[in-house]
Structures are given as C-alpha cells and as structure tokens.
C-alpha cells in the first residue's frame, strides 16, 4: 500500500538551507477551504525555516497579509505578469489546484500561469473526481504534465488519479492534509470536556455533537438533524452545534435557502431547542476551542466522491470521535478505529453510530485514543516538513517518493 509517512525528514536531521516557496492559491480573508489550507501550509513552512511569497487568486483590495506578494487581481495581463514575476523569484512554486478558483472553463486559466513559471512546480490536486467531464479531465491532466511533482492527500486520491487520468505515476506522491493544532503546540488537542458518561448532571454536562464548515447543499446536515431527533431518549439529552456561514458562492447564487431549510427542519424535528446554529467567524484559537468542546464530530456529507476533508483531519487531530458518511477520505482515515463510517443519507444508521459512542464511555475513549495516535503525523508542522523535503529533492534533481510497498 502507499505510505504517506515516508515523506518525512528524520527528526535528527534538519536541512540548514533556507528555501523560498511561491504559493499560488486563494488566501484569507477569502472564506474557502483552499485559502485556509494555503495559509496553514504557508505558516508551517515559515515555522520550518522557509520563506513564502503568496500570489492570491482573484481580486483583493489590499495585500494586507505580509506573505501576499501579488494578486491575480482582475485577470489582466499586467496583474498576471506581476504574479508570475513574484513566483519565478522563488525556488519552488506550490500551485493549489481546485477547478473553481481559477478563471476560464474548468479553471483552465491556471495552465497559462503554469506555463509561464520557470521555477520548479509542485501541484496539489485537491479534487480528483471519479467521473470528470472532458474539460475537467483535460485541465487536470495538462496541469499534472506541467508539474514536477503532483501531491494528493490520500491513497484513494492517488489511486483514482492514476486509474482515471493520464498522469505519469512517478510524479504522484501522497502527503496528508494538515490539521489545526493549538498555536504553540504540535501535540493532539486534549478535550476540554470530561469523557462521555463521566460527567455530573446538568445542562453543561450534556454530550455535545458538532458539525462545522461552510454550509451549502451536499453537506448533508439535514440528515444529521434527522438523526439527532432519534436521540431524545438519552439521559442527559445531547446538544448539537452546527457552526459555519453559508458558502459565499452558494449565497451569491441561491441566497440563504439551505441554511433556512436547516433551521426549519430543526424546529420541526422536535429537538430544535437543543440544536444551535453559529455563523460567527472563528480564528485558529476559537476554532480549536470549538473542536475541544465536542464529544462527537459529525460529518454527514452527501458526496461519496470527496477524497480530502480538512474538517475530518482537524477532528481526528483533536482526538475527537467521529461519525462520518462513507466518503473516501473518511473511509481511509477512520479505518483503524478513530471513528464510525455510515452510508450517505441514512439518518437511522447515523443515529445508531452516535448513540453507540454516547452510551459507551469505553468505546468513546478508545476512539479518542486512536485519533490521538494518528494526530502527530497530521500536524501542519509535520506536513510542512514533508513539502520542504520534496523541495530539497527537486533542488538536487531527486524527487522524494511517498510510495512504499
């Protein structure tokens, strides 16, 4: 099987060479998962001793972050030339690939940018669909052909990429998605709550379920609400926090219809008084505290095509038991016992899985312990070190592989 842990420098050997990275991506304050990923990876690389210059996709009124060197702006030739100049001044350019963040059909504008970059190129493929459209297939294949290294974040994504796209196998390596950790620590987050079943009675002692992330159709939260309504008989009765604003693109195209549907569904479920919606912005510290407050993280996504999930990795790194639908990343990461996987859109199965954790403290502790065992290799510090090792290999003409028997 493929082993992503092989892209990892020995703990006693730290390369003294300071490398410079370019980063082509969306970037905060843009509210999207790719932006969050790019910011966390950039911070991890800087902490590892590298320098990072970010070229932000899209227009930004001001380059307020100190790492942002340029912006693609309005897509003009002038802004594109400045962006390429900034990237070519670095040793290695990391291109975040997601179809929706670049201009043109299926984001094909990224191809012209990649062709103009003379630095070594690492492409991170965030989405590898099982049934791509002709345009999606062409764009990803051409982007992979231009890159020196193609990074995917799960074994499933690598298998799917090699089986369904014309990509040179030796280019493709696996480096896992990084995880949120406390600002001054790379160790797993300990729960700020007692173990399930070991609390005093009272409102504060109620088990807490948590789902977080940008909202929109396909998140499957309606099924989690239905599942939650089947847990009314538990004593103490659990609460459920649904945290996150509506995704900006969803809000632009369809308004707040999905969120309003969820609020109505919660109100009519009979358990609405114990379901809360929180759309406030959360920085790293407040997000960490939110995760620490949960007894069970619920990922009810509708898609069975999702090969990476930052929310899943953050939950596991925080040592939280997870109940997830069977999307590929969850099936892979939770296989050793850090969570329970159920079918999509199956509220009774989801309810049964959540119940089994809430009524069995021993099982909850075992799942949390397995999550904590997995956590160190998922920290952004560990992940950034692997990208730096790949860059070191490129500098010497040697690509570090993430594949082992």
């Amino acid at each position: 099987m493929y082993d992503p842990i092989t892209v990892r420098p020995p703990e006693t050997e730290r390369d003294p060479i300071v490398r410079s990275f370019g980063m082509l991506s969306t970037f905060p304050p843009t509210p999207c998962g790719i932006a969050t990923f790019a910011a966390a990876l950039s911070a991890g690389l800087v902490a590892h001793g590298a320098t990072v210059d970010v070229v932000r996709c899209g227009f930004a009124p001001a380059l307020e972050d100190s790492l942002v060197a340029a912006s693609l702006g309005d897509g003009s030739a002038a802004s594109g030339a400045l962006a390429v100049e900034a990237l070519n001044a670095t040793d290695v350019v990391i291109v975040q690939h997601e179809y929706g963040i670049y201009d043109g059909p299926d984001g094909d504008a990224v191809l012209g940018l990649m062709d103009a970059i003379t630095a070594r190129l690492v492409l991170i493929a965030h989405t590898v669909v099982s049934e791509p459209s002709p345009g999606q297939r062409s764009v990803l294949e051409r982007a992979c052909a231009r890159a020196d290294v193609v990074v995917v974040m799960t074994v499933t994504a690598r298998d799917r990429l090699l089986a369904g796209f014309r990509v040179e196998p030796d280019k493709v390596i696996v480096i896992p998605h990084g995880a949120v950790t406390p600002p001054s620590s790379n160790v797993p987050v300990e729960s700020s709550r007692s173990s399930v079943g070991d609390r005093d009675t009272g409102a504060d002692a109620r088990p807490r379920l948590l789902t977080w992330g940008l909202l929109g159709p396909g998140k499957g939260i309606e099924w989690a609400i239905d599942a939650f309504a089947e847990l009314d008989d538990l004593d103490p009765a659990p609460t459920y926090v649904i945290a996150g604003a509506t995704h900006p693109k969803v809000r632009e195209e369809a308004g707040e219809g999905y969120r309003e549907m969820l609020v109505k569904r919660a109100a009519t479920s009979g358990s609405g008084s114990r379901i809360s919606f929180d759309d406030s912005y959360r920085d790293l510290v407040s997000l960490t505290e939110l995760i620490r407050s949960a007894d069970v993280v619920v990922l009810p996504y509708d898609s069975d095509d999702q090969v990476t999930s930052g929310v899943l990795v953050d939950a596991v790194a925080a040592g939280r038991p997870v109940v997830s639908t069977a999307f590929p990343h969850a099936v892979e990461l939770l296989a050793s016992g850090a969570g329970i996987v159920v079918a999509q859109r199956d509220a009774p199965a989801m309810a049964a899985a959540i119940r089994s954790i809430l009524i069995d403290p021993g099982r909850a502790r075992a799942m949390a312990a397995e999550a904590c065992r997995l956590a160190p290799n998922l920290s952004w510090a560990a992940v950034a070190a692997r990208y730096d090792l790949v860059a070191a290999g490129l500098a010497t003409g040697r690509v570090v592989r993430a594949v082992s028997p």
Side-chain angles (χ1 to χ4, degrees), residues 77-165:
S79 62
L82 289 173
V84 169
E85 181 180 0
L87 294 172
N88 280 337
T90 64
D91 297 323
V92 176
V93 174
I94 297 175
V95 177
Q96 310 287 345
H97 182 263
E98 177 64 68
Y99 293 107
I101 66 176
Y102 300 102
D103 292 337
D106 298 306
D108 66 356
V110 72
L111 300 173
L113 290 167
M114 293 179 70
D115 285 340
I117 294 170
T118 56
R120 304 305 293 268
L121 274 173
V122 174
L123 181 78
I124 302 178
H126 285 266
T127 297
V128 183
V129 296
S130 57
E131 297 182 6
S133 68
Q136 288 174 328
R137 182 187 302 279
S138 174
V139 168
L140 185 53
E141 288 180 346
R142 291 164 64 190
C144 290
R146 177 65 185 85
D148 296 291
V149 175
V150 178
V151 175
V152 291
M153 287 171 263
T154 63
V155 174
T156 300
R158 187 182 193 277
D159 291 346
R160 183 178 291 179
L161 183 64
L162 295 182
F165 296 78

Side-chain angles (χ1 to χ4, degrees), residues 149-357:
V149 175
V150 178
V151 175
V152 291
M153 287 171 263
T154 63
V155 174
T156 300
R158 187 182 193 277
D159 291 346
R160 183 178 291 179
L161 183 64
L162 295 182
F165 296 78
R166 290 174 295 181
V167 178
E168 186 178 337
D170 285 348
K171 284 186 176 183
V172 184
I173 66 175
V174 180
I175 301 177
H177 195 298
V180 172
T181 54
S184 60
S185 173
N186 294 323
V187 299
V189 178
E190 297 296 333
S191 175
S192 61
R193 298 167 66 83
S194 305
S195 298
V196 173
D198 294 341
R199 304 189 194 90
D200 296 330
T201 57
D204 292 340
R206 289 181 177 181
R208 180 176 298 166
L209 312 182
L210 171 66
T211 298
W212 82 92
L214 295 173
L215 302 185
K219 290 293 185 178
I221 297 172
E222 56 269 39
W223 312 113
I225 291 172
D226 292 351
F228 182 75
E230 298 187 26
L231 305 174
D232 280 348
D233 61 304
L234 294 179
D235 184 18
T239 62
Y240 183 26
V241 177
I242 300 168
T246 299
H247 194 291
K249 288 189 176 180
V250 173
R251 186 169 57 246
E252 181 180 341
E253 296 174 4
E256 295 286 350
Y258 182 71
R259 171 183 287 275
E260 292 167 356
M261 181 274 290
L262 294 178
V263 172
K264 182 177 180 181
R265 199 174 187 116
T268 58
S269 70
S271 303
S273 62
R274 292 184 284 107
I275 299 176
S276 60
F277 291 84
D278 181 355
D279 64 354
S280 60
Y281 170 78
R282 293 183 181 275
D283 59 15
L284 176 59
V285 174
S286 61
L287 177 59
T288 300
E289 287 302 314
L290 176 68
I291 301 170
R292 291 175 65 184
S293 75
D295 294 293
V296 180
V297 172
V298 183
L299 281 68
Y301 304 159
D302 287 341
S303 174
D304 58 4
D305 211 30
Q306 188 166 347
V307 291
T308 58
S309 168
V311 171
L312 171 64
V313 175
D314 287 345
V316 171
R320 301 297 81 212
V322 176
V323 171
S324 173
T325 50
F327 61 89
H329 195 182
V331 172
E332 187 172 319
L333 188 57
L334 302 179
S336 62
I340 300 173
V341 174
V342 300
Q344 275 79 8
R345 303 177 183 85
D346 190 339
M350 195 178 302
I354 295 169
R355 179 185 296 273
S356 72
I357 298 170

